[in-house]
């Protein structure tokens, strides 16, 4: 299905993955590793300096997923900074994305992502036997080599028969560049970038939460209603002096309120901004808005075989056509 988005220098996929169910704590526990991760400090975000790990597994329990905690430990049991991680993703081959005919991204964790836990009134249906794929891109940006790193991902769930039944949510990923058969990264010219991508919402639903994924110097992702020009939601990062993301806010809209209503057939626009004070083009930019959507009617969700694409343009410009953005 999707073309690989990054080509890593090294393949670490021979390391084992174990999957177990901790039914007392209502957690599916994935343990991957060990991995030896030499320091790549000073090599920026060059994908050729990354190491990739991919494993397939079957989802083991009938569940409503609520969130996760990720813990990295080295061979001596010491906690390891998430700065050795570029991203960790779980894709579900048994369901497609809302906007693209690609497999669902159940979760995506970047180095900037904090642990996420939804209240037990909300859950993502995960059927036992669903075909999952774990993908980790390692990129140790710390100055030290770390040996024997084990990643433990605990995915919390509510049992599928919990009463009252939780509100059903599915992930909705809006990507500035993702498309079949092309890379989902782009170049940020000196001075920065403001780029947009429009889509027509395929279903009615309420957004209950949202966060973003960007690379160094990523400033904001926002969603606008094209017909009214109004900003539906906006997420702004906190950057340090060398452009690393120190905080990527996670916003929840469905806890106190009823969420943000999105309408089927309506036109929306993703707007992403990057800074780039380096004086050089920055390769390998990414901008995703990752949300959880409570669809009004789950049966309207596009079926796995449905090839419809909801985007109406290609999004981020290819290198050279970018619109510089002043600040
Ligand atoms: Cu990325």
């Amino acid at each position: 299905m999707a073309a690989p988005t990054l080509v890593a220098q090294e393949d670490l996929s021979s390391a084992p993955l174990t999957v177990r169910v901790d039914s007392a704590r209502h957690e599916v526990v994935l343990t991957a590793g060990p991995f030896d991760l030499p320091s790549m400090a000073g090599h920026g975000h060059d994908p050729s300096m990354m190491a990739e790990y991919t494993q397939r597994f079957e989802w083991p329990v009938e569940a409503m997923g609520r969130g996760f905690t990720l813990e990295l430990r080295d061979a001596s049991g010491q906690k390891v900074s998430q700065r050795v991680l570029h991203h960790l993703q779980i894709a579900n081959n048994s369901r497609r994305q809302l906007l693209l005919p690609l497999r669902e991204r159940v979760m995506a964790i970047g180095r900037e992502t904090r642990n996420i836990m939804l209240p037990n009134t909300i859950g993502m249906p995960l059927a036992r036997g669903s075909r999952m794929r774990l993908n980790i891109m390692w990129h140790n940006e710390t100055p030290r080599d770390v040996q024997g790193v084990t990643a433990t991902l605990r995915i919390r769930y509510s049992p599928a028969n919990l009463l009252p039944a939780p509100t059903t949510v599915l992930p909705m990923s809006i990507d500035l560049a993702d498309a079949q058969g092309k890379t989902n990264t782009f170049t940020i010219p000196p001075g920065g970038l403001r780029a947009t991508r429009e889509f027509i919402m395929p279903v009615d639903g309420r957004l209950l939460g949202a966060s973003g994924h960007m690379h160094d110097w990523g400033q904001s992702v926002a969603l606008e209603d094209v017909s009214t020009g109004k900003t539906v939601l906006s997420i702004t990062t906190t950057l340090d002096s060398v452009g690393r993301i120190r905080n990527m806010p996670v916003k929840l809209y469905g806890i106190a309120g009823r969420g943000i209503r999105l309408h089927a057939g309506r036109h929306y626009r993703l707007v992403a901004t990057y800074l780039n004070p380096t004086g050089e083009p920055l390769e390998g930019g990414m901008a995703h808005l990752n949300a959880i959507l409570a669809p009004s009617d789950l049966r309207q969700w596009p079926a796995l075989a449905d090839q419809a694409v909801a985007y109406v343009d290609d999004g981020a410009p290819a290198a050279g056509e970018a619109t510089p953005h002043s600040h």
Side-chain angles (χ1 to χ4, degrees):
M1 303 246 307
T5 54
L6 295 166
V7 179
Q9 174 199 39
E10 212 185 333
D11 185 0
L12 301 178
S13 301
S14 58
L17 171 71
T18 62
V19 180
R20 69 185 177 86
V21 181
D22 182 339
S23 48
R25 295 175 63 163
H26 291 146
E27 287 176 348
V28 171
V29 185
L30 305 185
T31 309
F35 303 101
D36 292 335
L37 307 173
S39 170
M40 297 291 172
H43 285 286
H45 259 119
D46 183 354
S48 67
M49 301 312 291
M50 295 185 193
E52 184 167 26
Y53 176 74
T54 302
Q55 289 279 352
R56 290 166 199 282
F57 65 99
E58 262 190 26
W59 184 256
V61 62
E62 201 66 32
M64 296 285 274
R66 283 181 50 198
F68 61 83
T69 59
L70 174 66
E71 199 174 80
L72 305 175
R73 289 192 184 268
D74 67 15
S76 64
Q78 299 281 13
K79 276 199 183 183
V80 172
S81 157
Q82 212 161 303
R83 284 171 59 206
V84 301
L85 182 73
H86 177 259
H87 74 225
L88 180 156
Q89 289 182 344
I90 294 183
N92 178 1
N93 263 319
S94 298
R95 195 159 48 209
R96 65 154 269 181
Q97 293 184 20
L98 183 60
L99 303 182
L100 280 174
L102 301 178
R103 62 192 155 225
E104 174 181 271
R105 226 181 267 153
V106 179
M107 63 176 65
I109 302 173
R111 81 185 71 225
E112 72 283 6
T113 310
R114 288 173 280 153
N115 295 331
I116 291 175
M117 204 56 69
L118 300 172
N120 65 1
T121 51
I122 298 173
M124 183 186 300
L126 293 169
R128 182 178 186 159
S130 296
R131 290 165 292 127
M132 310 299 242
R133 179 177 173 274
L134 170 69
N135 174 257
I136 305 177
M137 277 287 191
W138 295 107
H139 181 263
N140 177 4
E141 67 166 28
T142 75
R144 276 184 202 85
D145 297 350
V146 274
Q147 309 293 335
V149 174
T150 298
T152 304
L153 181 69
R154 296 176 165 271
I155 306 169
R156 182 84 56 87
Y157 64 87
S158 299
N161 59 1
L162 183 71
L163 288 174
T167 300
T168 295
V169 293
L170 290 179
M172 176 179 178
S173 178
I174 311 168
D175 190 312
L176 192 65
D178 204 8
Q180 251 172 325
K182 81 173 193 74
T183 152
N184 69 343
T185 59
F186 47 86
T187 303
I188 300 125
L193 172 73
R194 179 187 184 278
T196 65
R197 196 174 196 193
E198 294 187 12
F199 63 95
I200 296 171
M201 188 66 186
V203 299
D204 279 313
R206 292 175 295 125
L207 281 182
L208 300 188
S211 190
H213 171 69
M214 303 184 89
H215 292 177
D216 287 3
W217 295 109
Q219 187 182 33
S220 66
V221 281
L223 186 65
E224 293 177 1
D225 182 323
V226 173
S227 57
T228 64
K230 281 197 180 132
T231 300
V232 176
L233 70 90
S234 174
I235 290 163
T236 303
T237 64
T238 309
L239 300 177
D240 70 10
S241 60
V242 292
R244 288 186 301 219
I245 294 175
R246 281 296 170 238
N247 183 43
M248 175 63 83
V250 176
K251 296 200 173 179
L252 293 176
Y253 307 101
I255 306 308
R258 301 217 52 225
I260 297 172
R261 192 74 206 271
L262 298 184
H263 301 272
R266 200 176 281 190
H267 227 107
Y268 295 92
R269 178 191 289 135
L270 174 69
V271 183
T273 63
Y274 265 87
L275 304 177
N276 180 4
T278 67
E280 301 289 331
L282 288 172
E283 307 293 335
M286 272 195 194
H288 306 168
L289 189 83
N290 296 318
I292 52 171
L293 181 77
S296 305
D297 181 355
L298 203 53
R299 292 166 302 182
Q300 303 293 314
W301 201 265
L304 200 52
D306 185 338
Q307 290 301 303
V309 172
Y311 293 108
V312 299
D313 61 43
D314 292 335
E321 337 170 338
T323 326
H325 143 91
S326 57
H327 44 266

Short mmCIF file of all heavy atoms in Angstrom, two decimals, residues 5-6 45 50 86-87 89 110 112 184-185 213-215 274 284-288, ligand 1:
data_model
loop_
_atom_site.label_atom_id
_atom_site.label_comp_id
_atom_site.label_asym_id
_atom_site.label_seq_id
_atom_site.Cartn_x
_atom_site.Cartn_y
_atom_site.Cartn_z
N THR A 5 7.94 6.08 3.77
CA THR A 5 8.09 7.52 3.77
C THR A 5 9.55 7.92 3.99
O THR A 5 9.94 9.00 3.64
CB THR A 5 7.23 8.15 4.86
OG1 THR A 5 7.53 7.52 6.09
CG2 THR A 5 5.76 7.95 4.55
N LEU A 6 10.32 7.05 4.57
CA LEU A 6 11.72 7.35 4.81
C LEU A 6 12.52 6.10 4.46
O LEU A 6 12.04 4.99 4.66
CB LEU A 6 11.95 7.67 6.29
CG LEU A 6 11.27 8.91 6.86
CD1 LEU A 6 11.31 8.87 8.37
CD2 LEU A 6 11.95 10.16 6.35
N HIS A 45 18.43 15.55 10.49
CA HIS A 45 17.33 14.60 10.34
C HIS A 45 17.48 13.74 9.12
O HIS A 45 16.53 13.24 8.57
CB HIS A 45 16.00 15.36 10.26
CG HIS A 45 15.29 15.34 11.56
ND1 HIS A 45 14.98 16.47 12.24
CD2 HIS A 45 14.85 14.30 12.30
CE1 HIS A 45 14.38 16.13 13.36
NE2 HIS A 45 14.28 14.83 13.42
N MET A 50 18.97 6.96 9.92
CA MET A 50 18.03 6.32 10.82
C MET A 50 18.10 4.81 10.70
O MET A 50 18.57 4.27 9.71
CB MET A 50 16.61 6.79 10.50
CG MET A 50 16.45 8.27 10.75
SD MET A 50 14.77 8.81 10.51
CE MET A 50 15.05 10.59 10.51
N HIS A 86 12.83 8.60 16.42
CA HIS A 86 12.24 9.53 15.46
C HIS A 86 10.73 9.37 15.46
O HIS A 86 10.00 10.31 15.66
CB HIS A 86 12.80 9.37 14.05
CG HIS A 86 12.13 10.30 13.10
ND1 HIS A 86 11.14 9.89 12.24
CD2 HIS A 86 12.24 11.62 12.93
CE1 HIS A 86 10.69 10.94 11.58
NE2 HIS A 86 11.35 11.99 11.97
N HIS A 87 10.25 8.16 15.23
CA HIS A 87 8.82 7.92 15.41
C HIS A 87 8.54 6.45 15.65
O HIS A 87 9.36 5.58 15.35
CB HIS A 87 7.98 8.48 14.25
CG HIS A 87 8.06 7.68 12.99
ND1 HIS A 87 8.23 8.26 11.75
CD2 HIS A 87 7.98 6.35 12.75
CE1 HIS A 87 8.25 7.31 10.84
NE2 HIS A 87 8.10 6.15 11.41
N GLN A 89 5.07 3.98 15.02
CA GLN A 89 3.70 3.97 14.49
C GLN A 89 3.13 2.57 14.56
O GLN A 89 3.86 1.60 14.36
CB GLN A 89 3.69 4.39 13.01
CG GLN A 89 4.00 5.84 12.79
CD GLN A 89 3.93 6.23 11.32
OE1 GLN A 89 3.93 5.38 10.43
NE2 GLN A 89 3.86 7.52 11.07
N GLY A 110 5.91 10.56 18.14
CA GLY A 110 7.17 11.17 17.73
C GLY A 110 8.01 11.41 18.98
O GLY A 110 7.57 11.16 20.09
N GLU A 112 8.48 14.04 20.27
CA GLU A 112 7.86 15.12 21.04
C GLU A 112 6.54 14.69 21.70
O GLU A 112 5.95 15.46 22.43
CB GLU A 112 7.60 16.31 20.10
CG GLU A 112 6.47 16.13 19.07
CD GLU A 112 6.83 15.27 17.84
OE1 GLU A 112 7.94 14.70 17.81
OE2 GLU A 112 5.99 15.16 16.95
N ASN A 184 6.05 11.50 1.83
CA ASN A 184 5.23 12.50 2.52
C ASN A 184 6.08 13.54 3.22
O ASN A 184 5.66 14.17 4.16
CB ASN A 184 4.23 11.85 3.48
CG ASN A 184 4.90 11.21 4.67
OD1 ASN A 184 6.10 10.96 4.67
ND2 ASN A 184 4.12 10.96 5.70
N THR A 185 7.31 13.72 2.72
CA THR A 185 8.15 14.78 3.26
C THR A 185 8.32 15.87 2.21
O THR A 185 8.05 15.66 1.03
CB THR A 185 9.53 14.25 3.67
OG1 THR A 185 10.16 13.70 2.54
CG2 THR A 185 9.42 13.20 4.77
N HIS A 213 2.18 16.32 14.41
CA HIS A 213 3.52 15.76 14.27
C HIS A 213 4.26 16.61 13.25
O HIS A 213 3.80 16.78 12.13
CB HIS A 213 3.48 14.31 13.83
CG HIS A 213 4.85 13.77 13.49
ND1 HIS A 213 5.81 13.57 14.45
CD2 HIS A 213 5.42 13.44 12.31
CE1 HIS A 213 6.92 13.14 13.86
NE2 HIS A 213 6.71 13.05 12.55
N MET A 214 5.38 17.17 13.68
CA MET A 214 6.20 17.97 12.77
C MET A 214 7.66 17.65 13.08
O MET A 214 7.96 17.03 14.09
CB MET A 214 5.95 19.48 12.98
CG MET A 214 4.50 19.89 12.79
SD MET A 214 4.24 21.69 12.93
CE MET A 214 4.51 22.20 11.22
N HIS A 215 8.54 18.09 12.21
CA HIS A 215 9.97 17.92 12.46
C HIS A 215 10.55 19.25 12.95
O HIS A 215 9.81 20.22 13.16
CB HIS A 215 10.67 17.42 11.20
CG HIS A 215 10.27 16.00 10.84
ND1 HIS A 215 10.72 15.36 9.73
CD2 HIS A 215 9.45 15.12 11.47
CE1 HIS A 215 10.21 14.13 9.69
NE2 HIS A 215 9.43 13.97 10.73
N TYR A 274 6.20 26.37 9.07
CA TYR A 274 7.55 26.06 9.55
C TYR A 274 8.35 27.35 9.58
O TYR A 274 8.19 28.22 8.71
CB TYR A 274 8.25 25.10 8.59
CG TYR A 274 8.14 23.63 8.94
CD1 TYR A 274 7.05 22.88 8.52
CD2 TYR A 274 9.13 23.01 9.69
CE1 TYR A 274 6.96 21.53 8.84
CE2 TYR A 274 9.05 21.66 10.01
CZ TYR A 274 7.97 20.93 9.59
OH TYR A 274 7.88 19.59 9.90
N GLY A 284 13.17 17.05 4.26
CA GLY A 284 12.51 16.05 5.11
C GLY A 284 11.50 16.61 6.10
O GLY A 284 11.31 16.04 7.17
N GLY A 285 10.83 17.73 5.76
CA GLY A 285 9.78 18.24 6.65
C GLY A 285 8.55 17.34 6.63
O GLY A 285 8.28 16.65 5.64
N MET A 286 7.83 17.34 7.74
CA MET A 286 6.57 16.59 7.82
C MET A 286 5.58 17.45 8.58
O MET A 286 5.97 18.20 9.48
CB MET A 286 6.72 15.31 8.64
CG MET A 286 7.16 14.09 7.88
SD MET A 286 6.85 12.63 8.91
CE MET A 286 7.82 11.45 8.01
N ALA A 287 4.30 17.33 8.22
CA ALA A 287 3.25 18.02 8.98
C ALA A 287 1.98 17.17 8.95
O ALA A 287 1.39 16.98 7.90
CB ALA A 287 2.98 19.40 8.39
N HIS A 288 1.64 16.67 10.12
CA HIS A 288 0.39 15.90 10.26
C HIS A 288 -0.44 16.56 11.35
O HIS A 288 0.11 16.99 12.37
CB HIS A 288 0.62 14.48 10.79
CG HIS A 288 1.59 13.66 10.05
ND1 HIS A 288 2.07 12.47 10.55
CD2 HIS A 288 2.18 13.82 8.85
CE1 HIS A 288 2.91 11.93 9.69
NE2 HIS A 288 3.00 12.73 8.65
CU1 LIG B 1 8.12 12.40 11.04
#
